[in-house]
Amino acid sequence: MNYRAIRAIYLFEMARTWRTLLQSIVSPVVSTSLYFVVFGAAIGSRITQVEGVSYGTFIVPGLVMLSVLTQSISNASFGIYFPKFVGTIYEILSAPISYFEIVIGYVGAAATKSIILGLIILATAGLFVPLHIAHPVWMLTFLVLTAVTFSLFGFIIGIWADGFEKLQMIPMLVVTPLTFLGGSFYSVNMLPAGWRTVTLFNPVVYLISGFRWSFSEIADVSVPLSLGMTVGFLVACMAIVAWIFKTGYRLKT
């Protein structure tokens, strides 16, 4: 294992975060704070509790997941796309470093940024609503799994994209709507039976449900199922990344 190469990629990507601090950290935190203010004031005044938990506290896990998902994809996709755009990807591919080590460097940095952001948003949420984490270990488990999984997903998007507009297409048109419709601001159990069945086909439901359970032990689906779906998506992303490097898809041409 070439730890020096992994460290070089990792530190380079992390350094980009500090250079773009307003965009990488401040902007998502401010946006999430606005969600607390708007939804907490507008909806929280009408829906005081959801399954025994105050509405403001209820939406915290969903807002954290919304930021972690979008930032994981954004950080990883741009991290690998930019070397393709400027042509330095060929220097990385020809260096004495394996594909596995390249993925660890880029995905590890993207996941680290998202985890830091998620924890900052949690701390910010504590300024607006009372927070209690019933299962801290499981909370961190779901947070790390989600960050790593969607960083891998973003890595795939970055390789697939052949223009800057495509980097934003899937996160904006697919991931963000799925997150909003995945129980971020409401319980799936509040939906009519037919819509509840349709919603369960949304993979983000399982991520938010498991993460919310770690806070207040409220879950729309069983925790083992949530964990299994998250791990399953992680394995699928790993398989796709392995195939990409094996075939050289959009890397060698």
Side-chain angles (χ1 to χ4, degrees):
M1 183 76 72
N2 191 340
Y3 293 104
R4 181 172 296 180
I6 295 174
R7 182 175 180 270
I9 295 175
Y10 180 87
L11 292 179
F12 178 81
E13 288 298 304
M14 291 301 296
R16 183 160 54 83
T17 300
W18 312 128
R19 291 196 302 269
T20 59
L21 193 63
L22 287 176
Q23 178 184 352
S24 301
I25 301 295
V26 177
S27 178
V29 171
V30 171
S31 299
T32 306
S33 299
L34 291 176
Y35 279 119
F36 281 116
V37 173
V38 174
F39 282 87
I43 300 178
S45 60
R46 300 175 183 271
I47 306 176
T48 55
Q49 288 190 341
V50 178
E51 299 188 26
V53 177
S54 68
Y55 184 73
T57 301
F58 179 84
I59 66 175
V60 169
L63 289 175
V64 173
M65 281 288 104
L66 174 62
S67 296
V68 169
L69 293 180
T70 54
Q71 290 301 311
S72 294
I73 294 174
S74 176
N75 290 329
S77 60
F78 184 81
I80 190 62
Y81 176 78
F82 191 72
K84 285 177 53 186
F85 178 73
V86 298
T88 56
I89 187 68
Y90 301 109
E91 298 177 6
I92 298 174
L93 294 175
S94 61
I97 176 174
S98 69
Y99 297 149
F100 179 67
E101 292 159 351
I102 293 174
V103 173
I104 290 178
Y106 281 107
V107 172
T112 300
K113 298 174 193 176
S114 300
I115 292 169
I116 292 173
L117 178 62
L119 295 176
I120 292 175
I121 290 175
L122 273 180
T124 304
L127 301 176
F128 294 92
V129 295
L131 277 183
H132 171 69
I133 304 175
H135 305 281
V137 174
W138 280 110
M139 185 275 288
L140 288 173
T141 299
F142 275 106
L143 182 64
V144 172
L145 276 176
T146 302
V148 172
T149 299
F150 279 83
S151 292
L152 275 170
F153 186 54
F155 189 86
I156 294 169
I157 293 174
I159 293 176
W160 164 77
D162 53 10
F164 282 101
E165 67 280 356
K166 284 190 176 182
L167 290 178
Q168 300 297 324
M169 186 173 69
I170 292 181
M172 291 294 293
L173 298 181
V174 179
V175 176
T176 300
L178 286 179
T179 305
F180 275 96
L181 297 174
S184 297
F185 303 103
Y186 58 88
S187 171
V188 174
N189 296 325
M190 298 169 64
L191 300 174
W195 283 109
R196 189 183 308 130
T197 301
V198 173
T199 301
L200 292 178
F201 286 96
N202 181 352
V204 179
V205 168
Y206 302 91
L207 303 176
I208 295 175
S209 177
F211 193 59
R212 179 173 287 132
W213 172 85
S214 69
F215 283 80
S216 53
E217 297 186 330
I218 296 174
D220 293 319
V221 295
S222 68
V223 178
L225 182 57
S226 296
L227 186 61
M229 290 291 289
T230 306
V231 173
F233 190 44
L234 172 63
V235 172
C237 288
M238 292 174 65
I240 294 173
V241 169
W243 173 81
I244 287 173
F245 280 110
K246 182 178 180 180
T247 60
Y249 174 75
R250 297 210 171 177
L251 287 175
K252 299 179 180 178
T253 58

